[in-house]
Every structure is written in structure tokens, then in C-alpha cells.
Amino acid sequence: MQTEVLLPLIAYLLLVFGLSVYAYTRREQGNFLTEYFLGNRSMGGFVLAMTLTATYISASSFIGGPGAAYKFGLGWVLLAMIQLPAVWLSLGVLGKKFAILARRYNAVTLNDMLFARYQSRLLVWLASLSLLVAFLGAMTVQFIGGARLLETAAGIPYDTGLLIFGVSIALYTAFGGFRASVLNDAMQGLVMLLGTILLLVAVIHAAGGLHSAVNKLQQIDPKLVSVHGGGDVLSLPFMASFWVLVCFGVIGLPHTAVRCISYKDSKAVHRGIVLGTLVVAVLMFGMHLAGALGRAVLPDLKIPDQVIPTLMITVLPPYAAGIFLAAPMAAIMSTINAQLLQSSATIVKDLYLGVKPEQLTNERKLKRFSSWATFVLGLLVLLAAWRPPEMIIWLNLLAFGGLEAVFLWPLVLGLYWERANATGALSSMIVGAVCYTLLASIDLHIAGLHPIVPSLLLSLLAFYVGNTFGKPPRETAFKPS
């Protein structure tokens, strides 16, 4: 166990707990659910940008993505940059309209919005089940990433690291709620920026300069410096699919959407778009380039996902490695707490209160139930992460795709198509989920496309067909404007 690496990390985790305590003391009076799950919709532009970025950039971006860049070369760095408009798309498409309507209907979760729009309890149950299943997979990826980070960089056994990491996350998220989550996201976003820049500089220096690093990659395998990547995986259909999956489809991710209903005012949206896009650009480019060039420093890694933590302890002094270990740890923690809170909100608000609406006024019971739901969910994910796969990026993309196939069209068309009805939305969700599950399970790539592309096309068609058979939305229901 490397004490010099571990001590700064412990200090960082204590700081995270300190912010959670601070957030707890700053809780505002009023509706408990709005405060615990949305922080009373009080985010400014900087915090909005950082929480969207930190939520979006996860273990896949700091561990899995650089691992893929290590394996496939500089072509993967180019591929990663197609994620650049993700924050702009999310806030641009959802942004103001989504937030205004959420305030009008006092919506706390994405499913609240779907119920207000479509007036279908069956749709809410299907959406809730889909969200919980996909989030369990997505959070498992983050837990694996955190434990691997501690295992590689600090010398802590995987199982022990998983326990430390999992219990820490579950406790601070359960205790502090959404306000603690976004405050930590703001701090973690800054840590990620600093860590990314310094690690990239250190990797280039260790490789003998940028020109030397590229030459070494070419000597290992000329395809590592090709736009098509090692193994020729980066074909045009794959790149188009990747853009749909990790950029355009992000609009339909529930934990992204909920951040689009929790900001303070329109000024915060505009500032969030600019700052968020800049931060995504620096982080995506920096981390993936570090992973690709890292092969010039560490040519013989057996597990690609270990490239970033291994580089940290190789190219940085021990205490500096401990400090910058906080950067990928921050990415992982911020994504988990967003998904954990959203899962908890689904259990409490969409399922429990859907069955027992009379409990809405029992604030004391809701507080206890919400905290316990969050904590127990965290422990369940910890158990699911006990035996990890070799490359976590594929598991993460599988969970992301499932959420997008279910939520994208009901959310976007519900906002922008006045005639959209519950039958169309339900048809879209079912066809999207079934199609994506089948194609991903048998690993079928039609015309070289990722399963998300045909799934979204078929779910869009299903929405239109189902909509022609369904009843028009009632005048009293949520109406787009």
C-alpha cells in the first residue's frame, strides 16, 4: 500500500464529506422532495456547467475512454472529440422550456414530467423500471472504475477499495442530497481540469516530447497513429453510431435532464452552455490524448483500463499522484451521486408516492425513506461490482444506450410535438427497449452501426404509428408551447 499516494486521497474524501455537511446545514425550508432531489432549483451558471460536465464525464471518460485510446491509438482521441457539443445540445434542446414546465407542474423527476405530459401511470412505471435497471448497470461501471483506481494507484486490493469507495459514496450522497451532489460536482470539475492538464504535460515529458511519443507509437504499430485506429475499429458507421450514443442521445439521459430543471434562471443556462462546452473540450481531449500517448511510456499493459492510474504513479511524484488521483475519482463520484439520487428519486417519488400519495405530507418519513433508499441502492451496486469485466467502457455504453432508447423520443417529442400522446410514447419506449436489448445481446451491427441507431429509428417509427391509434392529449394535460 502506497501511503504517499493514499494520504492526499483521504484528505480529498474528507473534503467531500465536509461539503456534504455544509450542504446539509444550508438546506432551505420548504418542500423536502424539491430540496433533497433538486436543491430548490437554485444552481447558477458555473455550478450548472460543472455539474452537467462532471455528471456526463465519468469512469468511462477517465478510465475506459483513455483505456480505449491506449489500445486503439490517436484515432480514438479524434473520436472522443465528437462528444464536444453534449452540454450545448442538452441545455439547448431541453434548457428553458423543460425548466419552465417543470416549475409549472412542480416536477421533481423526469417521470413527473412524463406523467404531466402523457397522463399515463403505466408509462411512469415502465420508465421507472427501465431507469432503475439501466442505472444499476451504469453505477456498477463507476464503482468498478473507482475500485480499480485505488487498486492500481494506491496498492489497495480491489475488494477493499470497492468497500471504501462504495460506502463513502453511498453515505455522502444519502446524507447531503442534491445540494451536496452539485457542490461536490463544482469542486470535482475543477479538480478534473487541473489533474487532466498536469497529467497530460507529465506524460508528454516522460515520453521525451510529443514528437518522440508519436514516433514510439508508430514503431509499436503504425495503425496507432492512423485516424482509423489500431484494429481498424474506427469505421464511419462506428463513428456515426458513437456520436449518436455519447452526444445526441445524451439529451434523453434522465440524470442529464434533471439538471436541466434545477438551475436558477436563463442567465445560468447561457453561462452553463459556454463553460460546460469548454470544460468538456479540455477534459475529453486531455484524458484521451494522455491515454493514447501513454502507450509510448507503458507499452506492455495487459488491462487497458489501468493506463491512467498506472501513468499517475509512473510519471508523477507520489504525493502529486495522490492529489491527481482525485481527478478521475472526482469524475466517478460525481456521476455516481447523480445516478444514485435519480434512482432514489424514482423509488421515492415515482413508485412509493405513486402508490401511497397520502405520505406526501409526512416529511419526517420521507426524509428517512429517501436517505435509506439512496444508501441501500449504493450497497446493492457495490455487490454488483464485486466481479468486474476487463474493459468497463462497453458496459457503460450498454447502459447509456438502454436509457436513450427508452427516454429520448418521449422526452423530446413530448416537448416539441403538441399531438404526441401516451400510446405513441409507450410504443416508442417498448420498441426502443426491446430492440436495443435484442441487438445488443446478440451483438448484431446492421450495416456496421451500433444497436442504438436502429433502435432509435425504430422507436421513432413506433412513436408515430402508436400516436395514430392513441387518444389526443387532454387539454388539461401538460401542453407544449
Side-chain angles (χ1 to χ4, degrees):
M1 192 176 296
Q2 302 180 40
T3 309
E4 298 94 335
V5 175
L6 201 55
L7 286 177
L9 187 61
I10 291 171
Y12 174 74
L13 288 175
L14 289 174
L15 181 59
V16 166
F17 275 109
L19 273 178
S20 298
V21 173
Y22 172 76
Y24 183 81
T25 62
R26 296 279 294 178
R27 277 187 184 174
E28 297 176 10
Q29 296 300 313
N31 188 305
F32 165 74
L33 292 175
T34 305
E35 168 59 35
Y36 186 79
F37 292 118
L38 291 180
N40 268 347
R41 312 180 202 271
S42 58
M43 279 195 294
F46 173 76
V47 175
L48 175 63
M50 286 303 186
T51 190
L52 264 174
T53 304
T55 301
Y56 174 66
I57 292 178
S58 62
S60 182
S61 306
F62 261 79
I63 304 294
Y70 177 91
K71 184 174 182 179
F72 300 121
L74 295 176
W76 197 275
V77 181
L78 183 65
L79 178 70
M81 296 311 292
I82 63 176
Q83 301 173 67
L84 192 62
V87 172
W88 175 76
L89 275 172
S90 299
L91 287 175
V93 173
L94 301 179
K96 293 180 183 178
K97 178 177 283 194
F98 200 56
I100 289 167
L101 293 169
R103 282 166 168 80
R104 184 186 302 171
Y105 290 94
N106 197 27
V108 174
T109 66
L110 174 59
N111 288 336
D112 281 345
M113 294 287 284
L114 292 175
F115 183 72
R117 175 64 177 89
Y118 297 111
Q119 298 291 298
S120 168
R121 187 55 63 185
L122 174 61
L123 185 146
V124 169
W125 278 85
L126 177 62
S128 299
L129 181 63
S130 303
L131 184 147
L132 289 172
V133 170
F135 268 3
L136 279 173
M139 287 189 289
T140 300
V141 170
Q142 309 308 319
F143 273 54
I144 292 168
R148 277 198 177 148
L149 207 55
L150 292 174
E151 178 186 35
T152 307
I156 298 173
Y158 177 86
D159 293 350
T160 307
L162 186 61
L163 280 173
I164 294 170
F165 184 75
V167 173
S168 298
I169 292 265
L171 277 174
Y172 99 74
T173 307
F175 183 68
F178 185 86
R179 194 176 292 274
S181 174
V182 297
L183 281 176
N184 277 303
D185 285 351
M187 178 191 71
Q188 288 162 344
L190 292 172
V191 169
M192 283 189 275
L193 276 173
L194 182 63
T196 297
I197 294 167
L198 289 172
L199 180 65
L200 179 59
V201 170
V203 168
I204 293 173
H205 176 74
L210 189 57
H211 184 70
S212 173
V214 173
N215 283 340
K216 287 176 183 175
L217 291 181
Q218 194 159 20
Q219 290 168 15
I220 294 169
D221 184 351
K223 290 181 179 179
L224 294 175
V225 296
S226 160
V227 293
H228 298 294
D232 293 322
V233 293
L234 304 183
S235 62
L236 281 176
F238 180 87
M239 288 192 280
S241 302
F242 196 79
W243 182 81
V244 171
L245 185 61
V246 301
C247 189
F248 173 71
V250 169
I251 299 166
L253 293 177
H255 52 300
T256 299
V258 81
R259 272 150 172 74
C260 295
I261 64 176
S262 52
Y263 60 82
K264 187 165 50 178
D265 50 33
S266 58
K267 186 178 178 182
V269 178
H270 299 146
R271 188 173 293 169
I273 287 174
V274 175
L275 287 175
T277 302
L278 287 172
V279 173
V280 167
V282 173
L283 292 177
M284 285 296 171
F285 181 74
M287 289 310 300
H288 287 81
L289 185 58
L293 298 180
R295 191 152 178 181
V297 181
L298 305 164
D300 300 315
L301 280 182
K302 302 297 182 190
I303 300 177
D305 280 351
Q306 291 182 344
V307 60
I308 291 301
T310 307
L311 281 173
M312 283 180 172
I313 59 175
T314 303
V315 303
L316 295 170
Y319 278 108
I323 293 169
F324 300 128
L325 180 60
M329 190 66 80
I332 294 165
M333 292 172 77
S334 56
T335 301
I336 292 177
N337 63 43
Q339 294 172 345
L340 203 51
L341 271 178
Q342 191 68 14
S343 301
S344 176
T346 297
I347 291 171
V348 176
K349 183 71 170 61
D350 302 325
L351 300 180
Y352 177 68
L353 289 178
V355 175
K356 294 190 173 184
E358 70 277 4
Q359 294 295 331
L360 186 59
T361 56
N362 191 341
E363 188 167 302
R364 185 178 176 185
K365 188 171 183 178
L366 279 178
K367 283 181 180 179
R368 190 166 60 246
F369 186 53
S370 299
S371 295
W372 273 108
T374 306
F375 183 68
V376 171
L377 271 170
L379 294 183
L380 288 175
V381 176
L382 187 151
L383 291 174
W386 213 259
R387 292 291 173 263
E390 182 185 327
M391 286 186 72
I392 61 174
I393 188 170
W394 309 123
L395 180 58
N396 195 51
L397 293 179
L398 185 67
F400 261 46
L403 287 168
E404 291 168 8
V406 170
F407 286 100
L408 182 64
W409 298 127
L411 176 56
V412 174
L413 294 179
L415 278 177
Y416 290 97
W417 188 24
E418 189 174 327
R419 293 193 308 162
N421 61 38
T423 307
L426 273 167
S427 303
S428 175
M429 293 172 101
I430 293 168
V431 169
V434 171
C435 181
Y436 186 77
T437 302
L438 287 175
L439 290 177
S441 298
I442 61 177
D443 200 25
L444 178 62
H445 297 264
I446 300 170
L449 294 167
H450 187 277
I452 190 62
V453 177
S455 298
L456 286 179
L457 289 174
L458 285 172
S459 65
L460 179 60
L461 178 63
F463 199 121
Y464 178 77
V465 173
N467 214 72
T468 61
F469 292 99
K471 295 178 181 177
R474 299 203 310 266
E475 288 296 318
T476 53
F478 169 120
K479 188 176 181 181
S481 58

